[in-house]
């Protein structure tokens, strides 16, 4: 027996049950402990998205339009019930609410993270994706404020592989895979203080811009 999300079939029921339990537990942690909303997302296999659209622009990396959001503060029971409606869904976090994300190449992000820790800079959660990106969670507003911040820091004319994800964007969260390419992992997992109040982007941007420019 298996199940289908818009066309992708999972054949191993034991794996399905374990994956469902892990997903529900992760969702309950994100909503109950960290105060983040969670959105069920599509999955992908062999480049084919579970949404069923053969021309999908973001296979396995977008919300399921028919699934309900799990709100901040949801309990394990609520999360389990919600995830039972979308077995196999990926865990997506909406940016622009509790946090924005500064997204840089993985190698540059890892190097910057080491430097920031040595400098004692405030840090929020940091994730690494299978597509080779490092994602720094920062206070909301970074996406809209990034051009101005880079201008004031003198980096506006630099060719930087650095972008900010804000309202309207979603990030795939552990333990989910991103587009069928592999799992997203935490380099610095969320903790109560930084999840609820991630640092302002300006505190990290100088180091990130410098490392990205040199990389």
């Amino acid at each position: 027996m298996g199940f289908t999300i818009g066309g992708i079939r999972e054949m191993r029921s034991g794996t399905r049950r374990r994956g469902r339990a892990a997903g529900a537990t992760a969702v309950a942690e994100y909503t109950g402990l960290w105060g983040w909303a969670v959105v069920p997302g599509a999955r992908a296999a062999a480049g084919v998205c579970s949404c069923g659209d053969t021309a999908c622009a973001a296979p396995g990396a977008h919300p399921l339009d028919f699934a309900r959001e799990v709100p901040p503060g949801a309990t394990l029971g609520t999360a389990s019930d919600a995830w039972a409606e979308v077995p196999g869904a990926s865990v997506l976090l909406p940016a622009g609410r509790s946090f924005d994300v500064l997204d840089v190449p993985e190698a540059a992000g890892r190097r910057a993270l080491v430097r920031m820790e040595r400098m004692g800079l405030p840090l929020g959660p940091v994730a690494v994706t299978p597509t080779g990106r490092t994602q720094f969670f920062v206070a909301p507003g970074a996406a809209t404020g990034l051009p101005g911040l880079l201008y004031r820091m003198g980096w506006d004319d630099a060719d930087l592989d650095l972008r900010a994800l804000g309202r309207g964007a979603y990030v795939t969260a552990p333990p989910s895979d991103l587009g069928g390419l592999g799992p997203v992992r935490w380099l610095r997992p969320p903790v109560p203080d930084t999840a609820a109040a991630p640092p302002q982007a300006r505190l990290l941007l100088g180091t990130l811009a410098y490392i990205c420019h040199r990389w």
Side-chain angles (χ1 to χ4, degrees):
M1 295 294 291
F3 60 82
T4 300
I5 304 178
I8 290 181
R9 185 173 178 81
E10 301 274 352
M11 297 301 297
R12 300 173 65 180
S13 60
T15 300
R16 177 187 66 186
R17 288 192 295 269
R18 288 192 297 272
R20 182 183 301 174
T25 300
V27 171
E29 180 178 318
Y30 293 141
T31 59
L33 290 181
W34 315 134
W36 297 340
V38 174
V39 177
R43 301 293 289 268
V48 179
C49 187
S50 64
C51 70
D53 182 357
T54 57
C56 180
H62 65 84
L64 295 170
D65 56 12
F66 59 83
R68 60 188 174 109
E69 179 180 298
V70 186
T75 63
L76 178 58
T78 300
S80 297
D81 290 344
W83 235 242
E85 297 176 1
V86 284
S90 62
V91 178
L92 300 184
L93 305 175
R97 302 184 194 178
S98 301
F99 59 82
D100 279 7
V101 169
L102 295 178
D103 180 280
V104 300
E106 179 180 350
R110 286 180 178 272
R111 185 174 178 182
L113 179 59
V114 171
R115 177 171 293 196
M116 291 172 185
E117 290 175 334
R118 289 176 178 170
M119 294 170 64
L121 294 178
L123 289 165
V126 182
V128 62
T129 77
T131 55
R133 309 295 294 184
T134 304
Q135 298 180 326
F136 291 79
F137 285 46
V138 294
T144 56
L146 184 62
L149 285 171
L150 290 174
Y151 175 79
R152 289 193 292 274
M153 292 180 174
W155 290 107
D156 55 308
D157 292 329
D159 183 17
L160 301 177
D161 187 0
L162 185 161
R163 60 177 180 152
L165 307 177
R167 187 166 292 275
Y170 297 85
V171 293
T172 302
S176 294
D177 68 86
L178 175 60
L181 300 174
V184 178
R185 296 178 290 109
W186 291 118
L187 292 181
R188 285 180 61 95
V191 296
D193 290 345
T194 61
Q200 295 292 324
R202 60 180 174 78
L203 300 177
L204 311 184
L205 196 55
T207 301
L208 284 173
Y210 175 76
I211 297 295
C212 287
H213 182 64
R214 291 177 58 86
W215 199 257

